[in-house]
Amino acid sequence: MMADQPPQPLLDSPSGDFASGQNFWHMEYMEPGLIQGSKITRVIFDGQSAYQATQIIDTTAFGRTLVLDGKVQSSEVDEWVYHEALVQPVMLAHAAPKRVFIAGGGEGATAREVLRHKGVTECVMVDLDEEVVELCKEHLPNHHQGAFDDPRLTVLFADAIAYLRDNPEPFDVLIIDVSDPLEGGPAYLLYTQEFYAMAASRLAPGGIIVTQSGPCGPTNVTEVFSAINKTMGAALGETSPYRVYIPSFGTMWGFIAAGLPDSPSVAGATSAQIDERVATRLSAPLKYYDGVAHQGMVSLPKYLRAALDAERRIITDATPLYAV
Amino acid sequence: MMADQPPQPLLDSPSGDFASGQNFWHMEYMEPGLIQGSKITRVIFDGQSAYQATQIIDTTAFGRTLVLDGKVQSSEVDEWVYHEALVQPVMLAHAAPKRVFIAGGGEGATAREVLRHKGVTECVMVDLDEEVVELCKEHLPNHHQGAFDDPRLTVLFADAIAYLRDNPEPFDVLIIDVSDPLEGGPAYLLYTQEFYAMAASRLAPGGIIVTQSGPCGPTNVTEVFSAINKTMGAALGETSPYRVYIPSFGTMWGFIAAGLPDSPSVAGATSAQIDERVATRLSAPLKYYDGVAHQGMVSLPKYLRAALDAERRIITDATPLYAV
Amino acid sequence: MMADQPPQPLLDSPSGDFASGQNFWHMEYMEPGLIQGSKITRVIFDGQSAYQATQIIDTTAFGRTLVLDGKVQSSEVDEWVYHEALVQPVMLAHAAPKRVFIAGGGEGATAREVLRHKGVTECVMVDLDEEVVELCKEHLPNHHQGAFDDPRLTVLFADAIAYLRDNPEPFDVLIIDVSDPLEGGPAYLLYTQEFYAMAASRLAPGGIIVTQSGPCGPTNVTEVFSAINKTMGAALGETSPYRVYIPSFGTMWGFIAAGLPDSPSVAGATSAQIDERVATRLSAPLKYYDGVAHQGMVSLPKYLRAALDAERRIITDATPLYAV
Amino acid sequence: MMADQPPQPLLDSPSGDFASGQNFWHMEYMEPGLIQGSKITRVIFDGQSAYQATQIIDTTAFGRTLVLDGKVQSSEVDEWVYHEALVQPVMLAHAAPKRVFIAGGGEGATAREVLRHKGVTECVMVDLDEEVVELCKEHLPNHHQGAFDDPRLTVLFADAIAYLRDNPEPFDVLIIDVSDPLEGGPAYLLYTQEFYAMAASRLAPGGIIVTQSGPCGPTNVTEVFSAINKTMGAALGETSPYRVYIPSFGTMWGFIAAGLPDSPSVAGATSAQIDERVATRLSAPLKYYDGVAHQGMVSLPKYLRAALDAERRIITDATPLYAV
């Protein structure tokens, strides 16, 4: 049963304050026949970078929001769910992460979560799109919270695959925070068996890689999530799939971690261990993640485990998802 | 980061098949400034019962869907998530449930989940709206799956509170499957401290009550969920709050269970116990719930536990939520 | 400058009356990037005839509305504008129309306008879709206003072209009230040079043909209107193009009349003649059309006359519009 | 019958060009239960002036568009219809207009139409909102077409009523191009009997005043149009109401002119006179207006004349429209 909501006008009063005069909506397809319409209260930026259409908007439901190529990337009201979920399970499962690599992560919030770890000595973030990163620096202060000023952070504007290929120095944690692996998108090569094999060679002993892995609700778990899990498993062995709910994405969102044969299991971390490490390693408290939340994230419902078990697709450079 | 979705037309081709000729959309506010628009492929029924505006529609994203007073109640693609989550945790935590009471549950799917238990001897379902129940019987066969024909089920069209007040014979499990407790709605009296006290007096030893409890995502957990939890706690003692993601509701959805002082804890059930009982008690397999899924449902993220801890509102007959 | 409108809620109050419980909208593209969204208050019928997806709905803005293949065909609040504009200029320009032919006209409102003429002895209406006509009879009483019961009316369910080809008895007036001539649509063969030549052979001396001719606003006049005008001119000689504004179509709507060489000019009718004939020929008053309104309809703005002058396309059976 | 439109995607392809990445829509209520949704391809400006929320957008359907307080003010594809209709009938009916006053007219297109007259020696434009005028100068070049640089134009940022009250020097033509007279809006005092009486005192012999007068389609003619006509008639005597269709306003739009007792009638101008004056007085050709178009604008349909005849409301400073 649905909660009764007080009725909401589509358009605010024209005689009221500023927000009243805005009749703009961000209308985004979540899947065929399903639109999420979000009322815009202010357009902060609308333009085109060298790589993608870029908007920064304030919305009634989600606050300050980054939109790339017409799709919400992260919003003020729930980016902390996404970024804690992406970063903290692997960082806290790792024995002592010092060097961390981020592919993508333009908003600076992924770096923020990494740099919250006092033990981190170096974080290298490689994002393709300098213009978007500059816009995020200026307009998303609640996302990055000053992370770009941390001397431990190096931001490079380059291709993440090329960077890893050309720089053999190993990392303790690799974090892949780029668009989903649909053919034609800029980022599918970061989801292939070949990439995971190369990435493994850039992990220091005990190292772990984690990747955002797309939607994983009852209606969309096989879109990309199950295939990424199968592919990581083929390249790296045991995986730790987990998920959280992200309101502005309109669905459950999946993440998958995996490591070298001797690396610690992310899914297998105990609540006690997590809470102890949160208490000693971090310079600021978390809002979503702790030992209890961890069990909620990794304890998957039956249908989701079944979908993972049934998956047979392995993504390769030559056979991306959705190739015809 | 969002998954790239192939672009979807708002309107289908006028020269194609039947679905092409439909330009109807169900546009529902999820919260202020946030609309979920779902494309209708066929309107099965549109009318007004004695109690509520009633529609049954087929939609592209959610299949056959029941809509009451403009709000999605349950849909074919995810009703099993909702109904397993509502029914199975309490039924499987209970030592041996025989007599079960359902308030609401018009679609017949709540009864279906109850009757899946071989040990149940009697299920009494009390719903106010006979017309809606008849429509569900006819048009939602995938919801009820024949549950209305089970001789163990008694369906009464009456006020659930009056029924419980007038019938002292105790039940093992009480399931509250009605609209949320917003003042003015028909059902808020089923969410008050007074109701829970009366309900407790209708529980047999070891009995448990569970109620659907509204949305509990990062943006809406304090709307009703935390107040229901606080109120149940005030009336019944320890509660077991938990949640699942329901796509057609566009958010995480909460449930809260509580029992008599000696009743088993729902949240505290072990995975092994749950799996053992699923194997022995049920006449048909589940799709969402099992021992692992249980841990995912009851292991709440930090922000959600904090919201429950911070809640001070207790709903009473005299002080419903949203009273001015 | 736009009129200030009081703000309107997208969704009505869930605690109010029946209309409150309806969140259905008819969302129709008017042209690329332009949607007209009309709130549905009740779905009267939703189904599929042998020929087309068919809906009859009540809407807040337009009242009872017929929708075919996803597109509004006519609505209660403005069908009188459309049907008077389609029928009365030719009927009143003709010296004394007795036998009238209608192609299409399923709602019965075109026949209603014809039968308003006391001098008409016979009206033959040929519509392809019997199911739609039966639905209109039942559900659109304010459209047909009993016209189907007039003994002068013969309704046939057949192909209008075949009927005219096989029945040589001439008519005084031919009225073409079918969908626009886009290739693939069922009706484009009623807009070709060949059709107009055949139709001319079915006109009695002094006879006139008129056809609905699609949108003719500043943004869409060349879509089909100018090509139909050019084609009728090629087949029949001088044409009388004219237009009115139809709110539910979201644009200006065009009509074109033409006759045999000795037939009276429709555009050239004087206001005095029209008013005199309205007074003597009709059994009931009109709401839109009279001598003054006529001048407003036929006196086209400069851009529209320029578009008609510039048009070179002639629609033929072999070269319909939009052929690739 | 509606024209078949090829189906249009709500969202463009994310892999295409810039426009593909835009999922913003301007959603504006035209009347209760009726939304016009226009796809935005680029947000040029979004901000708040001292007086009103202000946006300048590019849209698929209407090109460059000015939006104030959430409502479309004028768009590139049809502003010429509006501005010719507002300005040219009175300018060409007047014997020899030299001094012209414009209230409002921020886009500069009203001035453009005035300055097209070679005989005009001075045009005074008084608009309240300097910020909006500056934005129009910069971003609406196709609207003003350099009019702001014409030395005959004086632009003042002030209250138009105060200006006329304090400056007794008479004008040949007064043009009122401000928002509609709904109470609470900034401009209703420019639609009252008192204003028209004062304005008459600022007309030189033979002078004429014209005002934009809101929607006048079958569904909205009595909203403000008929009341403005009644009020002007009460203050000034005979009026000349007329209308054109403006696509971006989604309806027919009305204008009303009136003069001193000896001023020429606007509605009564002959086509020959208009065409002769267009040929001799203007420095550049028109696109909408000429002698024939004039007859189409002033020859009102029967329902519209009936609504004007039936109107009894007179707007005064003390009794604005929609006062409770």
Side-chain angles (χ1 to χ4, degrees):
Chain A
M1 299 277 164
M2 289 295 294
D4 276 346
Q5 291 279 356
Q8 301 298 335
L10 174 58
L11 307 183
D12 296 317
S13 159
S15 58
D17 60 0
F18 170 59
S20 320
Q22 258 287 17
N23 288 337
F24 293 172
W25 288 75
H26 175 73
M27 305 289 275
E28 180 178 339
Y29 270 96
M30 296 290 124
E31 56 181 281
L34 185 64
I35 288 175
Q36 182 170 286
S38 181
K39 189 170 194 311
I40 297 171
T41 53
R42 193 168 165 219
V43 177
I44 306 296
F45 179 84
D46 176 23
Q48 169 76 331
S49 80
Y51 296 98
Q52 47 206 335
T54 306
Q55 288 111 25
I56 296 175
I57 53 179
D58 287 340
T59 69
T60 302
F62 301 125
R64 185 66 54 91
T65 302
L66 174 67
V67 182
L68 296 179
D69 282 338
K71 299 184 172 299
V72 167
Q73 299 301 301
S74 69
S75 86
E76 200 171 0
V77 305
D78 57 17
E79 64 78 19
W80 48 278
V81 179
Y82 174 88
H83 289 108
E84 287 191 21
L86 173 65
V87 172
Q88 299 303 344
V90 290
M91 290 294 288
L92 291 162
H94 191 281
K98 290 188 176 60
R99 292 194 78 236
V100 179
F101 177 82
I102 300 169
E107 300 97 326
T110 299
R112 175 198 74 203
E113 291 299 318
V114 169
L115 297 167
R116 204 190 288 282
H117 285 255
K118 294 177 287 190
V120 165
T121 56
E122 185 177 4
C123 179
V124 176
M125 168 181 156
V126 178
D127 194 296
L128 206 58
D129 198 330
E130 181 166 6
E131 291 166 285
V132 166
V133 172
E134 291 302 320
L135 285 165
C136 292
K137 273 190 201 175
E138 179 177 355
H139 296 299
L140 300 182
N142 289 345
H143 277 67
H144 59 71
Q145 297 177 15
F148 289 115
D149 299 327
D150 192 306
R152 297 174 293 170
L153 179 65
T154 302
V155 180
L156 302 171
F157 302 107
D159 175 62
I161 297 176
Y163 179 88
L164 287 178
R165 192 188 53 222
D166 300 342
N167 290 274
E169 193 180 0
F171 290 93
D172 297 309
V173 171
L174 300 175
I175 301 172
I176 312 301
D177 185 15
V178 300
S179 300
D180 275 303
L182 300 194
E183 188 183 18
Y188 88 90
L189 290 170
L190 286 148
Y191 291 90
T192 65
Q193 191 171 15
E194 292 89 338
F195 173 74
Y196 294 125
M198 191 264 275
S201 74
R202 295 301 181 262
L203 284 179
I208 315 176
I209 179 171
V210 65
T211 181
Q212 82 85 7
S213 302
C216 61
T219 60
N220 49 22
V221 61
T222 59
E223 187 176 301
V224 299
F225 183 71
S226 56
I228 297 173
N229 186 64
K230 185 71 178 176
T231 304
M232 288 186 83
L236 295 161
E238 191 187 336
T239 62
S240 291
Y242 59 94
R243 85 283 186 246
V244 294
Y245 168 64
I246 311 283
S248 64
F249 294 180
T251 186
M252 296 299 283
W253 210 254
F255 304 85
I256 305 169
L260 299 176
D262 293 331
S263 299
S265 162
V266 171
T270 68
S271 295
Q273 183 191 57
I274 291 167
D275 288 339
E276 185 273 332
R277 289 179 173 180
V278 164
T280 57
R281 292 184 180 181
L282 300 188
S283 56
L286 302 176
K287 290 163 69 181
Y288 190 93
Y289 189 69
D290 65 3
V292 173
H294 176 83
Q295 304 308 327
M297 291 156 72
V298 301
S299 301
L300 305 181
K302 200 177 165 192
Y303 83 87
L304 185 44
R305 287 162 16 231
L308 295 181
D309 286 347
E311 181 60 73
R312 292 292 169 267
R313 294 174 294 174
I314 291 178
I315 310 169
T316 68
D317 291 357
T319 58
L321 290 179
Y322 299 137
V324 203
Chain B
M1 298 280 164
M2 290 292 293
D4 275 344
Q5 291 280 354
Q8 299 300 334
L10 173 59
L11 308 182
D12 294 317
S13 159
S15 57
D17 62 1
F18 170 59
S20 320
Q22 260 286 17
N23 287 336
F24 294 173
W25 288 75
H26 173 74
M27 305 289 276
E28 180 178 339
Y29 270 96
M30 295 290 122
E31 56 180 282
L34 186 64
I35 288 175
Q36 182 169 285
S38 181
K39 190 170 192 312
I40 297 170
T41 53
R42 192 170 164 219
V43 177
I44 306 297
F45 178 84
D46 177 25
Q48 169 76 332
S49 81
Y51 297 99
Q52 48 206 335
T54 306
Q55 289 111 24
I56 296 175
I57 53 179
D58 287 339
T59 68
T60 302
F62 301 125
R64 185 66 53 91
T65 302
L66 174 66
V67 182
L68 296 178
D69 282 339
K71 298 183 175 300
V72 167
Q73 299 301 302
S74 68
S75 87
E76 201 172 1
V77 305
D78 56 17
E79 65 77 20
W80 50 277
V81 180
Y82 174 88
H83 290 108
E84 287 191 22
L86 173 65
V87 172
Q88 298 305 342
V90 290
M91 290 294 287
L92 291 162
H94 191 281
K98 291 189 176 56
R99 294 193 78 237
V100 178
F101 177 82
I102 300 169
E107 299 97 326
T110 300
R112 176 197 73 204
E113 290 299 319
V114 169
L115 297 167
R116 202 190 291 279
H117 286 254
K118 293 178 286 190
V120 165
T121 57
E122 186 178 4
C123 179
V124 177
M125 169 181 155
V126 178
D127 194 296
L128 205 58
D129 197 329
E130 181 166 6
E131 293 166 285
V132 166
V133 172
E134 291 302 321
L135 285 165
C136 292
K137 272 190 201 174
E138 181 178 353
H139 296 300
L140 300 182
N142 289 345
H143 277 69
H144 59 72
Q145 296 177 15
F148 289 115
D149 299 327
D150 192 306
R152 297 173 292 170
L153 179 65
T154 302
V155 179
L156 302 171
F157 301 107
D159 175 61
I161 297 177
Y163 178 88
L164 286 178
R165 191 187 54 222
D166 299 342
N167 290 273
E169 193 180 359
F171 289 94
D172 297 310
V173 170
L174 300 174
I175 301 172
I176 312 302
D177 185 16
V178 300
S179 299
D180 276 301
L182 300 194
E183 190 182 19
Y188 88 89
L189 290 170
L190 286 149
Y191 290 90
T192 66
Q193 191 172 16
E194 291 91 338
F195 173 74
Y196 294 124
M198 192 265 273
S201 73
R202 295 301 182 263
L203 283 178
I208 316 176
I209 179 172
V210 66
T211 182
Q212 81 85 6
S213 302
C216 61
T219 61
N220 50 23
V221 61
T222 59
E223 187 178 300
V224 299
F225 182 73
S226 57
I228 297 172
N229 185 65
K230 183 74 178 174
T231 304
M232 288 187 84
L236 294 161
E238 190 187 338
T239 62
S240 291
Y242 59 94
R243 85 283 186 246
V244 293
Y245 168 64
I246 311 283
S248 64
F249 294 180
T251 186
M252 295 299 283
W253 210 254
F255 304 86
I256 305 168
L260 299 175
D262 293 331
S263 298
S265 162
V266 171
T270 67
S271 295
Q273 184 191 57
I274 291 167
D275 288 338
E276 184 273 334
R277 290 179 172 179
V278 164
T280 57
R281 292 183 180 182
L282 300 187
S283 57
L286 302 175
K287 291 163 68 181
Y288 191 94
Y289 190 68
D290 65 3
V292 172
H294 176 84
Q295 305 309 327
M297 291 157 71
V298 302
S299 302
L300 305 181
K302 199 177 167 191
Y303 82 87
L304 184 43
R305 292 169 7 236
L308 295 181
D309 287 345
E311 181 61 72
R312 293 291 169 265
R313 292 173 296 173
I314 290 177
I315 311 169
T316 69
D317 291 357
T319 58
L321 290 180
Y322 299 137
V324 202
Chain C
M1 298 279 165
M2 289 294 293
D4 275 346
Q5 292 279 355
Q8 301 298 335
L10 174 59
L11 307 183
D12 295 318
S13 160
S15 58
D17 62 359
F18 170 59
S20 321
Q22 259 287 19
N23 287 336
F24 293 172
W25 288 75
H26 174 73
M27 306 289 276
E28 181 178 340
Y29 269 95
M30 296 290 124
E31 58 180 280
L34 186 64
I35 288 175
Q36 182 169 286
S38 181
K39 190 170 191 312
I40 297 170
T41 53
R42 193 170 163 219
V43 177
I44 306 297
F45 179 84
D46 176 24
Q48 169 76 332
S49 81
Y51 297 99
Q52 48 206 336
T54 306
Q55 290 111 25
I56 297 175
I57 53 179
D58 287 340
T59 68
T60 302
F62 302 125
R64 185 66 53 92
T65 302
L66 175 66
V67 182
L68 295 179
D69 281 338
K71 298 184 173 299
V72 167
Q73 299 301 301
S74 68
S75 87
E76 201 172 0
V77 306
D78 57 17
E79 64 77 20
W80 48 278
V81 179
Y82 174 88
H83 289 108
E84 287 190 20
L86 174 65
V87 172
Q88 298 305 343
V90 289
M91 290 294 288
L92 291 161
H94 191 280
K98 291 188 175 59
R99 293 193 79 236
V100 178
F101 177 82
I102 300 170
E107 299 97 324
T110 300
R112 176 197 73 204
E113 290 299 319
V114 169
L115 296 167
R116 203 189 289 281
H117 286 255
K118 294 179 285 191
V120 165
T121 57
E122 185 178 4
C123 179
V124 176
M125 168 180 154
V126 179
D127 194 296
L128 204 59
D129 197 331
E130 180 165 7
E131 292 166 284
V132 166
V133 172
E134 291 303 320
L135 285 166
C136 292
K137 272 191 200 173
E138 181 178 354
H139 296 300
L140 300 182
N142 289 345
H143 276 69
H144 59 71
Q145 296 178 14
F148 289 114
D149 299 327
D150 193 306
R152 296 173 293 169
L153 179 65
T154 301
V155 180
L156 302 171
F157 302 108
D159 175 62
I161 297 176
Y163 178 88
L164 287 177
R165 191 188 53 221
D166 299 343
N167 290 273
E169 193 180 358
F171 290 93
D172 297 310
V173 170
L174 299 175
I175 301 172
I176 312 303
D177 185 17
V178 299
S179 299
D180 276 302
L182 301 194
E183 188 182 18
Y188 88 89
L189 291 169
L190 286 148
Y191 290 90
T192 64
Q193 191 172 17
E194 291 90 339
F195 173 74
Y196 294 125
M198 192 265 275
S201 73
R202 295 301 182 263
L203 284 177
I208 316 176
I209 179 172
V210 66
T211 182
Q212 82 86 7
S213 303
C216 61
T219 60
N220 49 22
V221 61
T222 59
E223 187 177 300
V224 298
F225 182 72
S226 56
I228 298 172
N229 185 65
K230 184 73 179 175
T231 304
M232 289 187 82
L236 294 161
E238 190 186 338
T239 62
S240 292
Y242 59 94
R243 85 282 186 247
V244 293
Y245 169 64
I246 311 283
S248 64
F249 293 0
T251 185
M252 296 298 283
W253 210 255
F255 304 85
I256 305 168
L260 299 176
D262 293 332
S263 298
S265 161
V266 171
T270 67
S271 295
Q273 183 191 57
I274 291 167
D275 288 339
E276 185 273 333
R277 289 179 173 181
V278 164
T280 57
R281 292 183 181 182
L282 300 188
S283 58
L286 301 176
K287 290 163 69 182
Y288 190 93
Y289 190 69
D290 65 2
V292 173
H294 176 84
Q295 304 308 328
M297 292 156 71
V298 301
S299 301
L300 305 180
K302 199 177 167 192
Y303 83 87
L304 185 43
R305 290 165 13 233
L308 295 181
D309 287 348
E311 181 62 70
R312 292 292 169 266
R313 292 173 297 173
I314 291 177
I315 310 169
T316 69
D317 290 358
T319 58
L321 290 180
Y322 299 138
V324 202
Chain D
M1 298 281 163
M2 288 294 292
D4 275 345
Q5 292 278 355
Q8 299 299 336
L10 174 58
L11 308 183
D12 295 316
S13 160
S15 58
D17 62 0
F18 170 59
S20 320
Q22 258 286 17
N23 287 337
F24 294 173
W25 288 75
H26 174 73
M27 305 289 276
E28 180 177 340
Y29 270 97
M30 295 290 123
E31 56 181 281
L34 186 64
I35 288 175
Q36 181 169 285
S38 181
K39 190 170 193 311
I40 297 170
T41 53
R42 192 170 165 219
V43 178
I44 306 295
F45 179 83
D46 177 25
Q48 169 76 335
S49 81
Y51 297 99
Q52 48 207 335
T54 306
Q55 289 111 24
I56 295 175
I57 53 179
D58 287 339
T59 69
T60 302
F62 302 126
R64 185 66 54 92
T65 302
L66 175 66
V67 181
L68 297 179
D69 281 340
K71 298 183 175 301
V72 167
Q73 300 300 302
S74 68
S75 86
E76 201 172 0
V77 305
D78 57 17
E79 64 78 20
W80 49 278
V81 179
Y82 175 88
H83 290 108
E84 288 190 21
L86 173 65
V87 172
Q88 297 305 343
V90 290
M91 290 294 287
L92 292 162
H94 190 283
K98 290 188 177 58
R99 292 193 79 237
V100 178
F101 177 82
I102 300 170
E107 298 98 325
T110 300
R112 176 198 73 204
E113 290 299 320
V114 169
L115 296 167
R116 203 189 290 282
H117 285 254
K118 293 178 285 190
V120 165
T121 56
E122 186 177 5
C123 179
V124 177
M125 168 181 156
V126 178
D127 194 295
L128 206 57
D129 198 329
E130 181 166 6
E131 292 166 285
V132 166
V133 171
E134 291 303 320
L135 284 166
C136 292
K137 272 191 201 174
E138 180 178 354
H139 296 299
L140 300 182
N142 289 345
H143 277 68
H144 59 72
Q145 295 175 16
F148 289 114
D149 299 327
D150 192 305
R152 296 173 294 169
L153 178 65
T154 302
V155 180
L156 303 171
F157 303 107
D159 175 61
I161 297 176
Y163 179 88
L164 286 177
R165 190 187 57 222
D166 299 342
N167 290 273
E169 193 180 358
F171 289 94
D172 297 309
V173 170
L174 300 175
I175 300 172
I176 313 301
D177 185 16
V178 299
S179 299
D180 276 303
L182 301 193
E183 188 183 20
Y188 88 90
L189 290 169
L190 286 148
Y191 291 90
T192 65
Q193 191 172 16
E194 291 90 338
F195 173 74
Y196 294 125
M198 191 265 272
S201 74
R202 295 301 181 263
L203 283 178
I208 315 177
I209 178 171
V210 66
T211 182
Q212 81 84 8
S213 302
C216 61
T219 61
N220 50 23
V221 61
T222 59
E223 188 177 299
V224 298
F225 182 72
S226 57
I228 297 173
N229 185 65
K230 184 71 178 175
T231 304
M232 288 187 84
L236 295 160
E238 191 187 337
T239 62
S240 291
Y242 59 94
R243 84 283 185 248
V244 293
Y245 169 64
I246 311 283
S248 64
F249 294 180
T251 186
M252 296 297 284
W253 210 254
F255 303 85
I256 305 168
L260 300 175
D262 293 332
S263 298
S265 163
V266 171
T270 67
S271 295
Q273 183 191 57
I274 291 166
D275 288 339
E276 185 273 333
R277 289 179 173 181
V278 164
T280 56
R281 292 183 181 183
L282 300 188
S283 56
L286 302 176
K287 290 164 67 181
Y288 191 94
Y289 190 68
D290 65 3
V292 173
H294 176 83
Q295 304 309 326
M297 292 156 71
V298 301
S299 301
L300 306 180
K302 200 177 166 192
Y303 83 88
L304 185 43
R305 291 171 2 240
L308 295 181
D309 287 346
E311 181 61 72
R312 292 291 168 267
R313 293 175 295 173
I314 290 177
I315 310 169
T316 69
D317 290 357
T319 59
L321 290 179
Y322 299 138
V324 204

